Amino acid sequence: MATSSTTSKQISIKVEFGGGLELLFDNQRSHRVPVPSYVSTTGKKSLKDDADVAEGKGRPVDVAYLILWLRDNLLKERAELFVENETVRPGILVLVNDTDWELEGEGEYQLKGGDEIVFISTLHGG
Amino acid sequence: MPPRLCSLCNDARAILKRPKTGQQICKECFFWVFETEVHSTITEAQLFKPGDRVAIGASGGKDSTVLAHVMKTLNDRYQYGLELFLLSIDEGITGYRDDSLETVKRNQQQYGMPLKILSYDELYGWTMDAIVSQIGKKNNCTFCGVFRRQALDRGAASLHVDHIVTGHNADDIAETVLMNIMRGDIARLGRCTLICTQGEDTIRRSKPFKYAYEKEIVMYAYFKKLDYFSTECIYSPDAYRGHARAFLKDLEAARPSVIIDIIHSGETFEVKEEVKATQKAQQTCKRCGYMSSNELCKACTLLEGLERGMATAAITERARKKLDAEGPALESIRTIPFFQQSPEAHSTDAPKPPT
Ligand SMILES: [Zn+2]
Ligand SMILES: [Zn+2]
């Protein structure tokens, strides 16, 4: 996992899980995660080794990247309950700074340092 | 991107895209339309009358937690004149139900509603933990479902309530429509979209969230900061429902109105009289007095199987024959206390939907 110190090439994002999703993330609801400011423009299954970015190319980091980053770096079990077809599984609600991500461009929302992204599962019993 | 304005008040910043309409609305307008729509559902179906005693089936999960909050809000705002109670069933599942009951106890404090907890242990002499340790994880949902249904009725009777409301939402109902179609259970298909059901001898049950989307229920809880419990049951979740749910969520992602569309399809199905007639006439269980379509109700049959160490008796025909071949139940087996419904709990003027 990356270190938590924020360098100029990284931004720090606040991530929260609710509705039972936290169980996949070590039962911790709140996390602060460092993500690179620029990421690969090519879709990759795993983002752990990102050569393009190391060379300084890429697109500004967005929520779509964050989702895969969380899967690869923070998720502890049952990835299929979080990610499906390279985005969150249907039934997981996402909020960007307390606003429905459907109003913020969904995965294309470009992250800024200090943003708060909340993921809530609606799939658990009522 | 400039902040988008609420399409209802044109004033505040929009925070939610409504799945039903696609409208983008602000937080205050969201609270208002959500509550008002539930109010319309309640008044259009004439679910209550002043003075009714109403139990909210409370599990500590998102739907019933939001339901308790909204019922209290609407009862105050529109002066329904209802006496509200929280009714919880303790299935006896360590690490699951005991935690969620803590949530219900907090709701009791927050909303000032009396809380009744009825446990499988006190009613049937078996906790789900004990049942699973005897029968394994395969058919335990059958036991839990049958036991919960009767426990809710009995808990309601002991509170002398006229009515039970449950947190079933539009997604749940659409899911049930799909499941009934896929199973060919057309008789149930005709009933599962009813907002209010009442058997011959049971307490009325209604679903005020029949048209409320799960997304909005969860968003309501989030923005109101309601605390609810959200862990999957530790015993095998209903796999079939899980598939129906995943399928529905995929459809919804492509077309959000699909939830209401499916409910509407379910409502407009014409169920032939001869299909309805395949349901057996209701009678009273000879052992416990609960309504039943056979001599023994499902709960008594399941309990007898458990007590005699043949838990599958009520599930497979072959096992039932084996049980019968061993002769009648011994006097010593544990049975369910006789069901006596309080007379005042019977609202005789209640409309009776076809069962
Ligand atoms: Zn507004
Ligand atoms: Zn019985």
Side-chain angles (χ1 to χ4, degrees):
Chain A
M1 204 205 276
T3 61
S4 58
S5 67
T6 304
T7 68
S8 59
K9 286 187 178 163
Q10 286 189 333
I11 53 173
S12 172
I13 305 293
K14 200 179 162 211
V15 174
E16 231 178 276
F17 300 104
L21 264 187
E22 64 277 12
L23 297 171
L24 307 182
F25 292 87
D26 223 6
N27 210 5
Q28 273 210 46
R29 300 180 75 97
S30 259
H31 302 258
R32 194 164 272 287
V33 305
V35 290
S37 314
Y38 284 89
V39 298
S40 168
T41 47
T42 55
K44 281 204 170 63
K45 280 270 179 220
S46 171
L47 297 158
K48 274 180 173 156
D49 307 299
D50 214 330
D52 285 355
V53 181
E55 289 163 24
K57 297 179 235 163
R59 68 178 205 266
V61 64
D62 53 20
V63 175
Y65 178 92
L66 176 69
I67 290 166
L68 299 185
W69 190 95
L70 291 171
R71 177 193 66 187
D72 293 343
N73 295 280
L74 208 57
L75 184 121
K76 294 283 185 273
E77 52 183 297
R78 294 178 291 171
E80 72 280 5
L81 297 185
F82 182 56
V83 173
E84 194 180 299
N85 298 324
E86 306 289 291
T87 183
V88 286
R89 188 174 174 223
I92 293 176
L93 305 180
V94 186
L95 292 111
V96 173
N97 299 323
D98 263 1
T99 297
D100 189 353
W101 80 329
E102 293 184 42
L103 298 179
E104 299 284 354
E106 304 194 11
E108 288 166 21
Y109 173 83
Q110 291 181 7
L111 291 165
K112 307 181 300 294
D115 276 348
E116 185 183 9
I117 313 296
V118 177
F119 298 91
I120 310 174
S121 172
T122 64
L123 299 168
H124 286 86
Chain B
M1 210 183 298
R4 297 146 186 273
L5 285 185
C6 170
S7 65
L8 294 178
C9 65
N10 276 313
D11 183 34
R13 198 173 62 85
I15 49 95
L16 174 82
K17 184 173 172 192
R18 297 202 75 191
K20 238 184 250 188
T21 59
Q23 284 171 311
Q24 43 193 53
I25 57 177
C26 73
K27 202 188 281 185
E28 288 310 312
C29 289
F30 168 52
F31 292 152
W32 183 258
V33 292
F34 182 83
E35 290 157 5
T36 306
E37 285 180 5
V38 177
H39 173 62
S40 314
T41 305
I42 288 171
T43 49
E44 274 162 32
Q46 296 178 299
L47 292 187
F48 313 116
K49 55 184 190 317
D52 274 356
R53 294 164 64 89
V54 177
I56 299 162
S59 67
K62 58 183 163 52
D63 300 302
S64 61
T65 300
V66 174
L67 181 62
H69 181 89
V70 171
M71 284 300 295
K72 178 170 169 53
T73 303
L74 297 179
N75 193 35
D76 293 347
R77 182 183 300 159
Y78 298 103
Q79 287 147 22
Y80 290 166
L82 305 179
E83 249 185 285
L84 296 172
F85 300 84
L86 294 167
L87 173 57
S88 288
I89 304 304
D90 180 359
E91 298 95 343
I93 304 175
T94 310
Y96 169 68
R97 189 50 89 212
D98 43 358
D99 289 348
S100 60
L101 285 173
E102 289 308 311
T103 308
V104 180
K105 286 175 192 162
R106 280 196 297 276
N107 291 163
Q108 173 192 17
Q109 301 297 324
Q110 290 156 351
Y111 306 143
M113 289 180 202
L115 164 66
K116 161 88 184 166
I117 300 175
L118 183 59
S119 71
Y120 284 7
D121 196 18
E122 73 182 277
L123 188 54
Y124 306 111
W126 288 77
T127 62
M128 277 311 290
D129 287 342
I131 292 172
V132 170
S133 73
Q134 176 168 328
I135 70 164
K137 289 192 179 182
K138 190 138 177 270
N139 288 309
N140 69 82
C141 290
T142 306
F143 283 80
C144 203
V146 168
F147 281 2
R148 185 182 307 108
R149 182 164 184 87
Q150 188 168 148
L152 263 180
D153 274 333
R154 287 168 177 266
S158 78
L159 286 170
H160 306 292
V161 301
D162 308 281
H163 209 133
I164 302 172
V165 290
T166 57
H168 293 98
N169 60 43
D171 295 57
D172 296 329
I173 295 170
E175 224 169 82
T176 308
V177 170
L178 286 180
M179 287 167 69
N180 285 332
I181 291 174
M182 292 188 288
R183 279 196 291 238
D185 194 340
I186 304 306
R188 273 216 183 79
L189 176 64
R191 273 173 296 152
C192 72
T193 55
L194 294 174
I195 185 162
C196 179
T197 53
Q198 181 172 41
E200 282 300 302
D201 201 23
T202 49
I203 293 164
R204 297 181 84 190
R205 282 167 187 253
S206 306
K207 303 165 185 152
F209 282 171
K210 178 180 172 186
Y211 298 113
Y213 271 58
E214 194 153 64
K215 173 180 173 180
E216 295 199 350
I217 291 171
V218 172
M219 287 292 202
Y220 188 92
Y222 177 78
F223 287 119
K224 287 273 183 189
K225 300 186 169 42
L226 304 181
D227 83 274
Y228 63 87
F229 180 80
S230 49
T231 302
E232 206 61 73
C233 175
I234 55 172
Y235 299 128
S236 62
D238 186 341
Y240 196 67
R241 182 171 285 277
H243 292 311
R245 158 150 299 216
F247 174 59
L248 192 62
K249 287 289 162 195
D250 285 342
L251 291 178
E252 191 189 2
R255 199 167 74 123
S257 70
V258 74
I259 307 274
I260 291 295
D261 297 342
I262 290 175
I263 294 177
H264 184 66
S265 302
E267 284 171 337
T268 46
F269 261 103
E270 289 271 355
V271 179
K272 280 191 200 159
E273 285 307 316
E274 65 238 51
V275 175
K276 285 184 193 163
T278 59
Q279 288 191 274
K280 288 188 187 166
Q282 294 288 305
Q283 47 179 303
T284 306
C285 171
K286 69 169 186 191
R287 194 173 290 162
C288 78
Y290 189 74
M291 60 132 199
S292 172
S293 43
N294 293 298
E295 269 202 345
L296 278 190
C297 74
K298 280 192 194 134
C300 281
T301 313
L302 289 172
L303 184 60
E304 184 181 329
L306 279 174
E307 290 284 327
R308 297 173 71 181
M310 296 166 141
T312 50
I315 295 164
T316 70
E317 196 65 29
R318 209 177 51 147
R320 177 74 226 177
K321 282 193 181 124
K322 191 168 156 226
L323 191 72
D324 288 340
E326 291 200 358
L330 301 169
E331 288 296 317
S332 62
I333 71 161
R334 183 191 269 276
T335 55
I336 309 170
F338 206 78
F339 184 49
Q340 231 135 29
Q341 201 177 88
S342 58
E344 66 264 42
H346 247 304
S347 35
T348 44
D349 54 344
K352 286 190 181 169
T355 47

